[in-house]
Amino acid sequence: MNKKDLRIIFMGTPEFAVESLKALVEGGYNVVAVVTQPDKPVGRHQDHLQPSAVKEYALSKGLPVLQSEKMKNPDFLDQLRSYKADLQVVVAFRMLPEVVWGMPRFGTFNVHAALLPQYRGAAPINWAIINGEKETGVTTFFLDKDIDTGRIILQKKFPVPDDADVEYVYDGLMRLGAQAAMETIDRLIEGNGHVDSIPQSTDGTAPLHPAPKIFKETCRINWKQPSKKVYDFIRGLSPYPCAWTEMKSLDESPTRTLKVYKTRKTDVKSNKTPGTMTATKGRLFISTSDGVLEILEMQLSGKRRMDVHDFLNGFHDIEKYHVE
């Protein structure tokens, strides 16, 4: 068996998945069709349909694109079967029913942006950084009935610098995931459809960290935590969906939302109430439970993202405010 013999259906939606699809197409693998989410309504009146990043790339390469709201739709399943795929590759897509992942003769594998069994769920990159991990990675595994629990084929590790944010780790894992996808397929080709895989170890020797979907309220900063935890929380949500806090005035002016994109740890200790804002020599500090963080980039509601210098130009009396 070689690359041209193995018929592959690729499933994915966002930019993260495009890198893997592009690697397969440009690497000469036989991608016979692409499955992605239906186009999304966008615009002020929701009157314009926006195709996914995967769909845009697939169409640019002349690949057939399949889209369905329901994965068990009989017409969709008939379409899927018509391509007679040997293998399905899933990157950043959605949960699949067994009738779909069990369809190809060599199965379906997923590229997950974490070192499973850690960080099962929808937001593994964010939660790894929020939890201060020094290392993460990607895992390829065969799909089964439960989310992110299938047999592991291979893993590739990725170091997380202490100042890395989501954008840095996302870009690194996106490229690493593409490498892992190709290597997994190569192993399947070498084994004529068979590849070694191992069950995920959940023996209880290490606590499992979940990676649930992140909502707006999830992103609210708790300044009553230690500086390190607040620092990791902010970079784990930057630049998207972004950590936020409420900025309040002592004179009871309207409360405003403040997004915080970037901070710097300090060695300064403080006995001020967490959330106290202090400005000195063009620098801005906010107290935590055990010290202070220096704020470097932020965005006030109704304003653009800005650095601390531009922000302080609009607040000469910043110490009349606090955040919570």
Side-chain angles (χ1 to χ4, degrees):
M1 181 184 294
N2 57 43
K3 291 180 181 180
K4 298 298 183 183
D5 295 326
L6 187 71
R7 297 175 62 83
I8 299 169
I9 287 179
F10 184 90
M11 300 183 177
T13 297
E15 177 194 14
F16 189 91
V18 173
E19 189 73 15
S20 292
L21 176 57
K22 181 180 178 182
L24 298 187
V25 171
E26 295 184 358
Y29 296 88
N30 186 19
V31 179
V32 296
V34 170
V35 179
T36 191
Q37 291 282 69
D39 298 358
K40 275 188 170 184
V42 295
R44 184 176 180 182
H45 302 291
Q46 300 284 285
D47 55 358
H48 176 69
L49 291 177
Q50 176 66 47
S52 72
V54 162
K55 180 178 179 179
E56 288 183 330
Y57 177 80
L59 293 179
S60 76
K61 296 300 178 180
L63 296 172
V65 174
L66 282 64
Q67 296 172 279
S68 178
E69 289 282 358
K70 298 180 179 179
M71 293 288 102
K72 291 184 179 180
N73 180 292
D75 291 337
F76 169 73
L77 293 175
D78 286 343
Q79 275 188 299
L80 207 58
R81 290 189 190 96
S82 71
Y83 286 98
K84 297 181 171 58
D86 301 303
L87 176 71
Q88 289 174 159
V89 179
V90 180
V91 184
F93 189 46
R94 56 177 291 184
M95 188 174 180
L96 299 176
E98 185 173 359
V99 67
V100 173
W101 58 256
M103 192 178 293
R105 60 178 181 143
F106 296 150
T108 300
F109 77 80
N110 180 270
V111 179
H112 187 73
L115 298 174
L116 292 173
Q118 296 294 350
Y119 299 105
R120 293 170 173 165
I125 300 175
N126 300 94
W127 286 108
I129 301 173
I130 288 171
N131 289 336
E133 299 288 359
K134 298 184 184 305
E135 181 180 74
T136 185
V138 295
T139 303
T140 60
F141 67 97
F142 285 116
L143 292 190
D144 64 12
K145 293 180 181 179
D146 297 313
I147 297 176
D148 300 335
T149 60
R151 294 179 64 89
I152 291 172
I153 305 167
L154 66 82
Q155 293 186 316
K156 289 182 175 292
K157 296 181 178 180
F158 183 83
V160 181
D162 184 61
D163 61 349
D165 61 11
V166 170
E167 187 171 40
Y168 174 88
V169 180
Y170 180 100
D171 289 347
L173 294 186
M174 182 170 64
R175 293 188 293 269
L176 196 62
Q179 295 173 23
M182 289 189 294
E183 187 174 329
T184 299
I185 295 170
D186 290 344
R187 290 188 187 185
L188 280 159
I189 291 171
E190 291 170 8
N192 197 31
H194 300 284
V195 65
D196 291 336
S197 61
I198 59 172
Q200 294 187 30
S201 175
T202 55
D203 57 11
T205 55
L208 293 182
H209 299 292
K213 186 175 180 179
I214 290 175
F215 299 94
K216 180 181 178 180
E217 195 57 35
T218 312
C219 303
R220 184 166 187 160
I221 302 168
N222 178 5
W223 298 102
K224 295 178 181 179
Q225 293 183 314
S227 292
K228 177 64 164 66
K229 287 189 71 68
V230 179
Y231 171 81
D232 290 337
F233 183 81
I234 290 169
R235 68 190 181 98
L237 295 167
S238 179
Y240 182 82
C242 196
W244 62 274
T245 188
E246 287 190 336
M247 186 171 164
K248 297 185 177 182
S249 170
L250 300 178
D251 62 9
E252 299 185 355
S253 296
T255 297
R256 301 179 71 176
T257 298
L258 181 69
K259 291 183 176 181
V260 183
Y261 289 92
K262 189 174 182 179
T263 66
R264 179 188 291 138
K265 291 181 291 183
T266 75
D267 295 326
V268 179
K269 300 301 179 183
S270 173
N271 57 6
K272 294 182 179 180
T273 302
T276 300
M277 304 180 79
T278 305
T280 178
K281 296 181 180 179
R283 300 167 70 185
L284 177 63
F285 302 89
I286 298 181
S287 298
T288 64
S289 68
D290 66 350
V292 298
L293 283 179
E294 182 174 3
I295 311 302
L296 302 178
E297 292 183 30
M298 68 285 285
Q299 182 178 7
L300 197 60
S301 54
K303 303 291 184 179
R304 62 176 175 82
R305 178 175 173 175
M306 62 186 74
D307 62 24
V308 66
H309 179 267
D310 291 340
F311 178 80
L312 290 176
N313 279 341
F315 285 94
H316 302 292
D317 54 351
I318 192 66
E319 296 191 12
K320 291 183 180 179
Y321 293 82
H322 69 283
V323 291
E324 61 180 47

